[in-house]
Amino acid sequence: MLGEFEYLLIAAAVRLGDEAYGAAILQEIERSSRRECSIGALYTTLDRLEAKGMIKTRTGKPTQERGGRSKRMVRVTAKGVAAATAFYETVQQVSYGTSWQVAQAGARK
Amino acid sequence: MKSLWALPTQALSSLLDFREREIVLGDLAELGMSDRRAFKGVLGLVLRRQLGRWKDWQPWFVLVAIVVPIGPLLATQSMGLNIFPGLVMWLHYGVSYRTGVSSAADLAEICFRASALITWSWSSAFALGALSRKTIWVNGILFLLLCAIFAVYSSGYPVQALWLIWWAWGPIASNFLVVLLPAYWGLRKSAKSSPTKPRWLPALAGWTVIIGSLAIWTRGWYDAALANWSHGAPALTLLQLAQRVDVWKAFVAHLFALAVLTGPVVYLLAMNQFSHRRRKICGA
């Protein structure tokens, strides 16, 4: 089972496709989740996912805007897609029939 | 002008592997993050990477077997090299501090002890790096810090004396020369050398045992002279000296120190011989 941040990372990498690399994934996570993402959390999670075989990474070409430094390109594997799908389905299943408006009103009392 | 955070960020990033450092600095340049946030990010990554390296047993073994026991022991052993109080007494009052052994024997003891301390410091630091390369700088800095702190506190002078009496710096200066500098040199050598067995390791182990034994042996001259001095005339025979409990205790303490300080390089040699033999058997 994936963790929440692992899911966010895989989802961002899938959306970015061939343009998925460290900085782009970080921006995509921050844009979609509206939360600040640290570079430390990003790279340690990338390592963990790669060790689990859910993503594959390679060193990309250096670019001018990066001061001539290379990128860490990310590709989600079939195992990663399956794990993310399972996570999404689990969240859907456990959320089924749950009315968050009612829960919020109950919590305010 | 770069902000206050830019320089520490660059320095901190040097603790990352070269490939990862290039990628992370590239990302930070592309994202145009504030220097403060970039610093926090790199600090977080470095801490996570460093902590991750402590999941193995080797860094803990090095910490418990080398850093904690040998750092303070080297510091206390180097205190015997402090020649400044005697020198000051001689310069100021023209009185030489007599230890009861001849000047030549005194000089031999100082030379052997200094050589032994340099060898022990270098070989312990080298073994520290060779046994746990990934945490070499964390364990190494801790090792140097322990050597320095124990040197200050076992110097025999209160810390305040350092600002009042110049010769109170003597033990610290001698510790810096014969312990800290060689240890730093050993760490650097270990960080740069290839992980395969160095050919000179058996020679280093042999030299460490020989010079350590000579240092302990010559130290015995001073202990014997002191025992004789406290006994008064006539001088004790060797057999009578050996029967004295305080002389025995000092001898056993020196022997224990020799075993602990020689341990790292002997262990490193044994490990290398073992893995060399295993490779040979697997190859055959």
Side-chain angles (χ1 to χ4, degrees), chain A residues 33-47:
Chain A
S33 68
R34 280 165 287 176
R35 279 199 318 213
E36 201 173 271
C37 170
S38 85
I39 211 144
L42 178 83
Y43 278 104
T44 42
T45 309
L46 279 179
D47 285 352

Side-chain angles (χ1 to χ4, degrees), chain A residues 7-108:
Chain A
Y7 175 76
L8 287 176
L9 202 153
I10 289 179
V14 168
R15 272 199 299 277
L16 287 164
D18 291 341
E19 287 302 306
Y21 63 93
I25 294 173
L26 189 133
Q27 278 179 320
E28 181 65 17
I29 291 172
E30 288 192 342
R31 189 193 60 75
S32 56
S33 68
R34 280 165 287 176
R35 279 199 318 213
E36 201 173 271
C37 170
S38 85
I39 211 144
L42 178 83
Y43 278 104
T44 42
T45 309
L46 279 179
D47 285 352
R48 199 165 54 244
L49 288 173
E50 192 164 28
K52 287 181 188 173
M54 294 183 183
I55 60 164
K56 275 190 176 168
T57 67
R58 63 179 173 83
T59 306
K61 285 177 187 165
T63 61
Q64 204 68 45
E65 59 175 341
R66 298 169 59 84
R69 293 186 164 102
S70 45
K71 302 170 178 176
R72 185 174 176 185
M73 306 302 295
V74 177
R75 187 174 63 79
V76 181
T77 62
K79 192 178 173 187
V81 171
T85 310
F87 180 88
Y88 178 70
E89 282 171 357
T90 307
V91 171
Q92 267 192 326
Q93 274 170 17
V94 296
S95 309
Y96 186 76
T98 309
S99 169
W100 293 113
Q101 284 167 339
V102 172
Q104 271 181 345
R108 277 196 210 106

Side-chain angles (χ1 to χ4, degrees), chain B residues 118-265:
Chain B
I118 291 170
T119 308
W120 285 328
S121 309
W122 192 94
S123 59
S124 300
F126 182 81
L128 180 155
L131 293 171
S132 175
R133 192 172 289 256
K134 284 179 180 176
T135 54
I136 182 170
W137 291 113
V138 175
N139 265 331
I141 289 169
L142 210 59
F143 182 67
L144 296 177
L145 269 176
L146 277 177
C147 287
I149 291 168
F150 272 82
V152 171
Y153 282 97
S154 55
S155 68
Y157 301 105
V159 178
Q160 295 92 322
L162 292 173
W163 316 119
L164 301 170
I165 319 164
W166 68 266
W167 68 83
W169 286 93
I172 297 165
S174 61
N175 180 272
F176 178 77
L177 287 174
V178 299
V179 175
L180 293 179
L181 270 184
Y184 177 70
W185 180 32
L187 283 172
R188 279 188 67 97
K189 176 75 181 168
S190 191
K192 284 180 180 173
S193 66
S194 68
T196 53
K197 176 194 164 191
R199 284 183 183 172
W200 39 261
L201 202 56
L204 175 70
W207 168 251
T208 310
V209 172
I210 291 168
I211 196 70
S213 306
L214 282 171
I216 299 300
W217 180 43
T218 49
R219 177 72 191 169
W221 298 343
Y222 174 77
D223 289 342
L226 193 71
N228 256 326
W229 175 80
S230 66
H231 173 75
L236 294 166
T237 62
L238 204 60
L239 193 68
Q240 284 171 318
L241 269 172
Q243 284 168 341
R244 279 186 61 143
V245 176
D246 51 343
V247 174
W248 249 120
K249 274 185 179 169
F251 178 68
V252 171
H254 292 323
L255 218 57
F256 178 71
L258 175 70
V260 172
L261 293 167
T262 313
V265 71

